[in-house]
């Protein structure tokens, strides 16, 4: 069960912020082999791995329009409406992230600007298994559509009957995904990275996955394919002072803990009574959960931490750099102002983390494992490249030409200097 | 010498867009050893590698204030002024990239917004060797300062006397770099990634380098350190129609070719006469260059390509995805509108690429080797993380709560549903 840490000093922080260390196998050789076989044998290799790992013999790797329609028909109307509402909010929030180009005159006659252009072809991976993550389809395909990506390819493993979960098919159709392939695991990442007769090569791959998928994405990155971010188990930190509702906080901690046995939850409070009440609430709510075994294991890695001062609390939070940060405190502004590192922030008693997982509009693909110190969650930027433009007039080049000549000469690059000199001469 | 390709079809494109393949050694084992030794022995290991690779025995790894001052005093006043002008333009252009947070009400009672927060500590690597790249100091440290990065650490190899180039010291002081270490190569990247007694561990590493540095950055990335982008030799594509000035174009092609023997330049035109004139101009200008041998080798990989139609030309350019793209054509708008992939674009006869290398204000750290299909050049975003925030009222949660409950249940995540249900119950 989750433990309370009453007397902590900064010396303890490195241990407290440490994530559970996973026993990861070194999959490198296996992944290299999968990439090699798919490069050499293409679709045949994909069928081979799908038989081997998913135990399904496929002829067609791609979903047909008929399968798509049949699947969509199976999704209950109320779930369709819920997905539509969530997707509308995701679309509103991500559309607002578009930035209009501004032309900047850095020196008279020298105009510079930056424009976003979509990445032409992207791949989305959605894992199979117990939870059909159709919400992740919304989080990745909708921003891709808003960004203007022309082709959005989805790979997801088939079930034992060679089928894809209907809600995934519905979410994919709603968000404008162009093609779906029944391919899972490292072989999906390899196919998207290399391209085969059936599967188009993409320029960037998004989406969660197990350690095979993660390892394959790292390998794809070394081949020059972009990836969304490094992966790690999900996590939540709650800051709860005396204004927090302990039952609500407990429900949030449990919602994170049910993700996987390697999930981690932390609660920081300035009041021991609050931490005790939260612990009692966790013990009350846990037994009712279908995934209580998973949550229980995750809670054994988790911590309720007493920190008295606001200043130390925010320092601790910045050091932890949580993927999800719930803030239930009187002095919200202090924490928001001083927050340096987090993936997404949930403010107040009525903002559960599951709102961001599904329907508030923010993205749920977020940096874990302290990566919030240097990575953003997925946002509109992830689907575009920013290209810079400059246009210089004859007189503009007169204004900056001499500086360029001096600097190029000092760096020993005479041809760089000449490209300016030849124009300045023509100019006089 | 550079060759003219008169009759090309789409079948030839894969060959034409191919970059020169470098013979790269597999440095992985060497890099792993360097990281391991620096992790185990810290500063002692850095001194060991500096002696071994740079042939200098250092006591102090960090530049002292006295060394800094002495170096700065050696920089000629006119070069200082040139650097100031360039830096002012870089600052103006990158400051304009800051985005003010907008609060979006995705559903009544549900407010979402996104804010940038700086990456706290970053590392910049500047290579030694023949060209002291002080311009790259401006391109990386100035946006870092604008973004608000607290600590900006620079590593650069010492010369045989244990000194750093004065212009690098001046640029570093001007741009607010906090500390400079005399460390080069893979050992610099390892030190910044791991941290030693002297060198602070950073969260992201920027800057160019040879294949040892590149390989070390890839290794750092696997340890969770951010890097600016994958590296490759520099390149330029010029689109020149009959309005282009052949002498200017030749000077641009040569400025790119002098970078390194592995640089590549391409010129596309709809007129064979233009290509012939450019070739003649290259032959005229080349012999006068100090770095003519380097440029000559690079030109042997380079191509002058005749493509008649505008539509095919822009498709070819998008397929090539040039790091630098000079556009000298009557119908600028057509090309700008249809451009999908490029690092930075230089428009018109008076916008040489060297303007962007030094002083127009745009960044010169750009994606090479077709990475412009999925990567942006360095811009203000590279120095921040974007954090999302949401604040939901009691009535806001009523508006989206049911959708969250339905979706969470359909994904089999009951505790996610509960976190909403417990609040809605309290709400009624």
């Amino acid at each position: 069960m989750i433990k309370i840490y009453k007397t902590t000093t900064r010396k303890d922080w490195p241990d407290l912020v440490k994530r559970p260390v996973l026993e990861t196998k070194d999959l490198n050789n296996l992944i290299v082999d999968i990439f090699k076989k798919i490069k050499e044998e293409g679709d045949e290799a994909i069928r081979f791995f799908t038989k081997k790992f998913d135990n399904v013999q496929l002829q067609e790797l791609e979903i047909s329009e008929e399968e798509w329609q049949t699947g969509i028909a199976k999704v209950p109307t109320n779930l369709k409406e819920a997905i539509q509402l969530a997707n509308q909010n995701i679309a509103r929030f991500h559309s607002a992230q578009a930035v209009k180009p501004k032309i900047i005159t850095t020196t008279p006659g020298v105009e510079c600007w930056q424009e976003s252009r979509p990445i032409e072809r992207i791949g989305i991976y959605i894992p199979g298994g117990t939870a059909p993550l159709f919400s992740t389809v919304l989080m990745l395909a909708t921003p891709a559509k808003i960004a203007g990506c022309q082709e959005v390819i989805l790979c997801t493993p088939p079930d034992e009957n060679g089928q894809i979960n209907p809600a995934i098919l519905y979410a994919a159709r709603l968000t404008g995904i162009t093609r779906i392939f029944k391919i899972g695991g490292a072989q999906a990442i390899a196919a998207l990275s290399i391209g085969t007769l059936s599967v188009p090569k993409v320029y960037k791959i998004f989406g969660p996955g197990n350690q095979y998928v993660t390892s394959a994405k790292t390998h794809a990155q070394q081949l020059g394919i972009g990836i969304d971010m490094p992966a790690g188990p999900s996590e939540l930190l709650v800051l709860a002072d005396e204004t927090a509702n302990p039952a609500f906080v407990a429900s949030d901690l449990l919602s994170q803990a049910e993700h996987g046995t390697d999930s981690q939850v932390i609660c920081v409070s300035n009041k021991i009574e609050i931490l005790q009440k939260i612990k009692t609430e966790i013990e009350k709510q846990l037994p009712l959960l279908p995934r209580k075994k998973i949550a229980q294991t995750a809670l054994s890695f988790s911590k309720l931490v007493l920190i008295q001062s606001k200043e130390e609390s925010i320092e601790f939070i910045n050091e932890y750099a949580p993927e999800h940060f719930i803030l239930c405190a009187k002095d919200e502004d202090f924490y928001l102002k001083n927050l340096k590192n987090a993936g997404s922030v949930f403010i107040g008693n009525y903002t559960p983390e599951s709102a961001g997982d599904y329907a508030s509009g923010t993205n749920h693909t977020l940096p874990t494992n302290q990566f919030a110190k240097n990575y953003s969650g997925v946002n509109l930027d992830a689907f575009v490249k920013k290209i810079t433009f400059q246009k210089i007039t004859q007189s503009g080049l007169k204004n900056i030409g001499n500086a360029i000549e001096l600097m190029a000469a000092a760096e020993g690059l005479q041809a760089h200097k000449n490209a300016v000199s030849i124009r300045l001469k023509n100019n006089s």
Side-chain angles (χ1 to χ4, degrees), chain A residues 354-368:
Chain A
S354 40
D357 285 339
Y358 293 106
S360 64
T362 61
N363 209 291
H364 77 197
T365 305
L366 296 166
T368 56

Side-chain angles (χ1 to χ4, degrees), chain A residues 211-228:
Chain A
Q211 53 177 314
Y212 295 89
V213 171
T214 301
S215 179
K217 279 172 75 183
T218 305
H219 192 73
Q221 192 176 28
Q222 285 169 51
L223 302 178
I225 310 296
I227 65 166
D228 43 4

Side-chain angles (χ1 to χ4, degrees), chain A residues 66-342:
Chain A
E66 200 194 322
E67 280 175 282
W68 213 330
Q69 295 291 353
T70 313
I72 288 172
K74 288 184 191 153
V75 181
T77 306
N78 62 354
L79 182 57
K80 279 184 182 162
E81 286 166 359
I83 292 174
Q84 284 166 24
L85 183 145
N87 199 49
Q88 197 175 59
N89 285 350
I90 295 164
R92 280 184 188 140
F93 185 58
H94 288 79
S95 298
Q97 291 165 20
V99 177
K100 281 211 187 100
K102 278 183 285 192
I103 296 178
I104 308 298
T105 301
T106 55
T107 288
V110 181
E111 290 185 339
C112 303
W113 68 98
Q114 183 172 269
E115 288 182 40
S116 293
R117 304 273 159 119
I119 299 174
E120 287 176 81
R121 202 182 304 120
I122 67 152
I124 294 178
Y125 183 76
I126 300 291
T130 51
L133 298 180
F134 56 84
S135 60
T136 305
V137 178
L138 309 182
M139 293 293 173
L140 299 175
T142 288
K145 193 180 179 182
I146 293 165
C149 302
Q150 281 172 283
E151 288 182 68
V152 182
I153 316 293
L154 189 144
C155 284
T156 188
D159 66 17
E160 68 275 16
N161 304 313
Q163 305 284 307
I164 305 295
N165 181 284
I168 290 180
L169 296 177
Y170 177 71
R173 180 52 51 96
L174 183 70
T175 55
I177 281 178
T178 40
R179 302 174 73 182
I180 300 181
F181 293 91
K182 298 176 192 175
I183 313 174
Q187 61 273 24
I189 307 302
L192 290 168
S193 305
I194 294 161
T196 68
L197 201 61
S198 301
V199 185
K201 173 185 157 73
V202 301
Y203 301 120
K204 191 167 182 178
I205 299 173
F206 296 79
N210 60 19
Q211 53 177 314
Y212 295 89
V213 171
T214 301
S215 179
K217 279 172 75 183
T218 305
H219 192 73
Q221 192 176 28
Q222 285 169 51
L223 302 178
I225 310 296
I227 65 166
D228 43 4
M229 68 189 74
S234 200
E235 65 206 19
L236 165 68
L237 185 147
V238 183
L239 186 286
D241 74 3
E242 62 276 18
T243 66
N245 181 320
F248 294 0
V249 173
S251 75
D252 292 322
L253 295 171
L254 285 168
S255 78
Q256 193 56 35
E258 80 169 341
H259 264 299
T261 52
D262 51 7
S263 300
Q264 192 186 38
V265 297
I266 303 269
C267 181
V268 175
S269 181
N270 59 340
K271 294 272 187 292
I272 188 75
E273 301 77 37
I274 298 288
L275 294 177
Q276 276 154 348
K277 279 185 194 162
I278 291 168
K279 188 163 190 283
T280 306
E281 276 290 338
I282 291 176
E283 283 157 0
K284 199 170 112 191
Q285 295 177 29
L286 175 64
L288 307 170
L289 295 178
R291 292 166 75 98
K292 58 175 172 271
K293 275 201 171 162
I294 293 171
Q296 203 151 24
T297 309
L299 288 172
S300 70
F301 299 126
S302 298
K303 293 142 194 165
L304 302 171
V305 184
L306 181 72
I307 301 181
Q308 302 285 359
S309 87
K310 283 190 297 193
E311 290 72 19
E312 278 203 20
S313 297
I314 191 68
E315 276 188 56
F316 178 84
I317 293 163
N318 284 329
E319 190 50 35
Y320 186 78
E323 179 193 14
H324 303 100
F325 171 36
I326 296 183
L327 171 59
C328 291
K330 233 176 4 220
D331 198 354
E332 276 172 11
D333 290 348
F334 170 83
Y335 289 99
L336 292 178
K337 185 167 168 273
N338 292 292
L339 180 70
K340 292 176 180 171
N341 306 316

Side-chain angles (χ1 to χ4, degrees), chain A residues 400-421:
Chain A
I400 62 170
N402 191 237
I404 300 168
E405 290 178 310
L406 277 163
M407 289 173 76
E411 287 192 352
L413 297 171
Q414 187 68 33
H416 282 65
K417 180 182 174 183
N418 284 0
V420 171
S421 309

